[in-house]
Amino acid sequence: MQSPFRYILTALAALTLGSSCKKDLGNYDYKTVGMPVIDTSGIGNPYYIERYSNLQIDPAIRYDGGDTKALKYQWLLYPYVVGSVSTPIEVKTISTQKTLDIPVIEKVGEYRVEMIATDTTNQLKVNMVFTVVVSVGIEYGVLVLHSQADSADVDFITTANAVPVAGITPKWLKNIYSSSTGSRMSGTPRFIGQERRSNTIQNWLMIGSSEHIARMNGTDFSLIREDRSMFRRADAVMDPQTFMLMGSGYSALINNKKLHVYTTTYEVDALFSAPVPGDYELAPYLAYGTSSSFVAAVYDQKYGKFIRPASITGSMIDFQAPAAGTTPAFDLRNIGKDMLYMDRGFTSYTHAFFKDRTGSGHWLYIANFNTFTDDGRLAISAKDMSTLPEIASAKFFQSSELGYMDLYATDRTIYAYDYQGTNTASVAFNGFPAGETITCMKIYKPRPNFNLSAVDGTILYVGTWNGTQGKVYELSLNGISGAIGATPLNVFEGLGRITDISAKARGAGTY
């Protein structure tokens, strides 16, 4: 039997021979295909940009023989690495538009940004790589904590009025908390504050809501630690109410009506221990003017008195009784009122604002906690505020450190209070548009005030809410008379409901 494969092979050979002899009569039109050209004239130099600022690159595209409308774009961002690395380099797509205009949220460092242009008709590609250096962007300014619904975010604002420092330009960085962490802080916002000591590496920011607490890096606002990692005990209750780096050098947190403290410049050791022991329930206020011998002076709302820790590891104790033979302005151990606010005022005294628990009486109690000896002479004066205009409607209080003047505010009006002379108050500012109500009021007090001493205490920031958006008003303030400029220096619109405003200072030395 003959194999069929011999016939198949013969047929294939004939086909091959026939095709090799056939003349190619095709009519072809060959042409040169153009390539898109990314023109970097004037924009090819390295880009130096502050973190959270917008990176803008708009290259011209030339496409001889092609259609630029057929091009699609992709922008990639990746870290610049020298040498080999053991882990994969993360490459992010940051835009698909021709013009790049996005906030840069990457940490401080050097990066490469690559533009890729692709012709969708033939898949031809060209690319161009740009050098981008991300630097520190939040050295000087103010931090604004604001909310929408049941979550919070932070804006950072620098103006020439607040920061008259060479090389610092005005800026407004929006929603930098969510940009840094990937989400807003849940819960009702409560406080934001700086924790900075000059000539040390301590440069942190603390943010608290009804559900969370977070420590952010003071140079680039990256998240350092949060929630229970802030505490030495895993069973810590999460109810942060206020925080402050005290004049005593101690960092103090009121959490769930209890006081927690630590003192260190090293972040890994900056953890809150168990609350200071004792039977007390604190008002959610702290005042900067406290000496190291007192750790922190706080107000026990439960028993209506000022108290302090015996030491950083001791229990909560009372202040000394009034000195024998003296007639004190008040007894620190027996106030019996509800605290409305507490702040540091003129001559580094602590100003505490109170309301009677029965009746309509309002008071300013002034004490000297900025001393090293509790000698029973810390009560300085008591001022009856009960007859001041609209004092029963006052919701916000601030104390000037430049003169004998305090401020209080209702929903719409700010009053300057002369507590040392006439014990009267007068309208300082009421120029807010109809429908806006005050939600926050803070005198600009950068701590430390290195490079900023000339403007320390001379600006008032006010947050308002009209039911739709929040605004920040920057107002000039005379810290001696209480006079406020009739025309705002700046107005920032489009924020959420503003809860807190804090100065952000660089301080002296490196960090």
Side-chain angles (χ1 to χ4, degrees), residues 228 231-238 255 260:
R228 286 184 172 81
F231 295 84
R232 297 188 183 277
R233 296 177 53 167
D235 61 348
V237 175
M238 197 57 53
N255 178 65
H260 301 253

Side-chain angles (χ1 to χ4, degrees), residues 178-384:
S178 60
S179 295
S180 177
T181 65
S183 62
R184 295 166 61 88
M185 177 177 280
S186 63
T188 303
R190 288 180 171 170
F191 63 83
I192 187 166
Q194 183 176 18
E195 191 175 3
R196 168 71 173 132
R197 282 194 246 193
S198 286
N199 301 306
T200 75
I201 59 174
Q202 185 177 14
N203 184 25
W204 315 316
L205 304 169
M206 295 285 279
I207 310 170
S209 75
S210 57
E211 300 175 5
H212 296 284
I213 185 171
R215 175 183 292 152
M216 314 299 290
N217 190 304
T219 61
D220 65 3
F221 209 76
S222 57
L223 177 65
I224 299 175
R225 66 175 69 235
E226 61 183 339
D227 298 339
R228 286 184 172 81
S229 68
M230 297 285 303
F231 295 84
R232 297 188 183 277
R233 296 177 53 167
D235 61 348
V237 175
M238 197 57 53
D239 184 23
Q241 294 168 285
T242 193
F243 169 87
M244 183 177 289
L245 174 59
M246 310 292 288
S248 62
Y250 290 88
S251 297
L253 171 73
I254 296 179
N255 178 65
N256 194 36
K257 301 179 182 179
K258 299 292 184 180
L259 181 66
H260 301 253
V261 292
Y262 61 71
T263 176
T264 181
T265 61
Y266 298 99
E267 197 282 325
V268 294
D269 195 42
L271 304 177
F272 293 108
S273 298
V276 177
D279 178 19
Y280 62 93
E281 295 180 0
L282 297 183
Y285 307 109
L286 294 163
Y288 182 77
T290 305
S291 74
S292 58
S293 62
F294 294 157
V295 181
V298 288
Y299 186 73
D300 180 6
Q301 198 86 319
K302 181 178 181 180
Y303 293 108
K305 60 182 179 178
F306 285 98
I307 54 178
R308 66 182 180 91
S311 66
I312 193 170
T313 58
S315 299
M316 203 67 83
I317 61 173
D318 290 336
F319 283 88
Q320 292 292 325
T326 65
T327 305
F330 54 91
D331 185 349
L332 292 170
R333 306 176 309 158
N334 185 24
I335 304 296
K337 307 177 188 301
D338 288 335
M339 179 174 278
L340 301 175
Y341 195 72
M342 187 161 60
D343 196 7
R344 184 170 83 163
F346 193 46
T347 64
S348 297
Y349 288 166
T350 294
H351 289 206
F353 300 88
F354 291 100
K355 180 184 181 301
D356 286 342
R357 289 179 171 173
T358 59
S360 58
H362 283 71
W363 302 84
L364 167 62
Y365 282 10
I366 301 175
N368 181 18
F369 297 125
N370 194 34
T371 184
F372 289 96
T373 304
D374 180 8
D375 58 0
R377 303 173 186 270
L378 305 185
I380 303 300
S381 62
K383 306 294 183 180
D384 188 350

Side-chain angles (χ1 to χ4, degrees), residues 96-110:
T96 56
Q97 304 297 315
K98 173 185 173 294
T99 300
L100 181 66
D101 186 3
I102 56 132
V104 175
I105 63 175
E106 272 59 37
K107 294 182 179 180
V108 171
E110 185 172 341

